[in-house]
Amino acid sequence: MMPKAAAAVEAGKGTGASPVSKSSIDSKKAKNSKRFGGKLKKLFQYSILPVGLIVVWQLAYDQGLINPVTLTSPLKAWQRVLKLLESGVLLENVAASLQRVVTGFAIAAVLAIVLGIAVGWSKVMERLFDVIIQVLKPIPPIAWIPLAILWFNIGEASKLYIIFIGAFFPVFVNVVDGIRQIDSKYIEVAQIYKLPWHKLVLQVIIPGSLPSIMTGLRVGLGVAWVCVVAAELIAAESGVGYMIMDARNLAQTDTMIVGMLTIGVIGKLMDSILKKVESLFAGWR
């Protein structure tokens, strides 16, 4: 029996066939195929509505159902994108807007997180800031534009101020709510071990409220992008908002559509980046 078994093993080696390994390979192939099919299905679900709208838009334009003076076609808008990229106008204006957004949002985020931690943790700080926060929070950021121009003229400071106002409150509110939702058991354990204030903040408060902080940052960044475009529409010499307003004055609907779509695409990319950061640092929730 032993020689026969050995011969069978050698025969299996010679042919390179193994029932176990073959089944595992087939299983992996099936899983990969299923995963690939799932990705294609998701891609189809994500793209079917935008692609369908573009097709209907182009067909309506070709059939004369759309006035070319008031709205351009997707094809002409794409051609305009290529021209603006080639001339550098689009990238220049996008860079100007992004620089304003990043600067204003960074200032707002830092101050909102610091003040939010203080207000969320201390009842005294909450009573000190509650009235002024509740009064200023409902005021739309765009309503501050006239005062911003009076205070800072039409320079960069006025735009940064509008961005700051727009981004501050979403971050602040979410930080305060996140701190108040921390399980009291963690606070009690930290007090038992008599953690210093800075360690309590870094090891308990911030990690415990991180999901809410990230949500506030995502909302605040979106509002900041809206605010910079609104400010540029009114008083600016560069930026995506300025490009849209300048195109309106020249009746260039294709450039206006390009500017509007650029706002949407960049907003989506910025939100996706923050969502990725959130999954890295707060994926446990």
Side-chain angles (χ1 to χ4, degrees), residues 109-132:
V110 171
L111 291 179
I113 291 174
V114 172
L115 186 60
I117 291 175
V119 171
W121 179 254
S122 171
K123 291 294 183 181
V124 175
M125 295 294 291
E126 179 184 0
R127 287 190 286 269
L128 285 174
F129 285 93
D130 183 69
V131 174
I132 189 170

Side-chain angles (χ1 to χ4, degrees), residues 7 23 61 63 65 83 93 106 114 140 162 185 188 199 224 229 242 249 271:
S23 62
Y61 184 89
Q63 296 298 320
L65 301 177
K83 290 181 180 179
N93 286 297
V114 172
I162 298 301
K185 294 180 181 178
E188 293 173 359
K199 287 188 177 181
V229 174
Y242 166 78
N249 295 332
D271 183 72

Side-chain angles (χ1 to χ4, degrees), residues 105 109 112-113 166-179 181 206-224 267 270-285:
F105 174 73
I113 291 174
F168 176 83
F169 290 105
V171 180
F172 174 82
V173 170
N174 278 275
V175 171
V176 173
D177 289 343
I179 292 174
Q181 292 175 9
I206 291 181
S209 59
L210 190 57
S212 293
I213 293 175
M214 294 304 303
T215 300
L217 290 175
R218 288 178 58 191
V219 176
L221 184 58
V223 176
M270 295 169 73
D271 183 72
S272 298
I273 292 172
L274 273 184
K275 187 182 291 187
K276 186 67 175 179
V277 174
E278 180 182 5
S279 65
L280 291 176
F281 293 97
W284 47 267
R285 67 171 178 173

Side-chain angles (χ1 to χ4, degrees), residues 137-148:
K137 185 176 65 174
I139 302 175
I142 297 177
W144 290 93
I145 292 179
L147 277 179

Side-chain angles (χ1 to χ4, degrees), residues 18-96:
S18 173
V20 176
S21 62
K22 185 177 180 181
S23 62
S24 63
I25 292 173
D26 292 340
S27 177
K28 289 181 179 179
K29 288 182 178 180
K31 288 181 179 179
N32 291 335
S33 177
K34 185 177 181 180
R35 189 180 299 114
F36 181 73
K39 290 181 178 180
L40 284 179
K41 184 178 179 181
K42 289 182 179 179
L43 179 62
F44 175 79
Q45 292 172 344
Y46 274 115
S47 60
I48 181 63
L49 183 58
V51 172
L53 289 175
I54 292 174
V55 171
V56 171
W57 179 8
Q58 183 65 48
L59 290 175
Y61 184 89
D62 293 338
Q63 296 298 320
L65 301 177
I66 297 177
N67 186 351
V69 177
T70 57
L71 183 62
T72 188
S73 69
L75 181 59
K76 290 186 177 180
W78 174 247
Q79 293 171 349
R80 192 62 178 174
V81 169
L82 298 179
K83 290 181 180 179
L84 291 173
L85 288 174
E86 183 179 357
S87 63
V89 173
L90 182 59
L91 294 179
E92 180 181 345
N93 286 297
V94 168

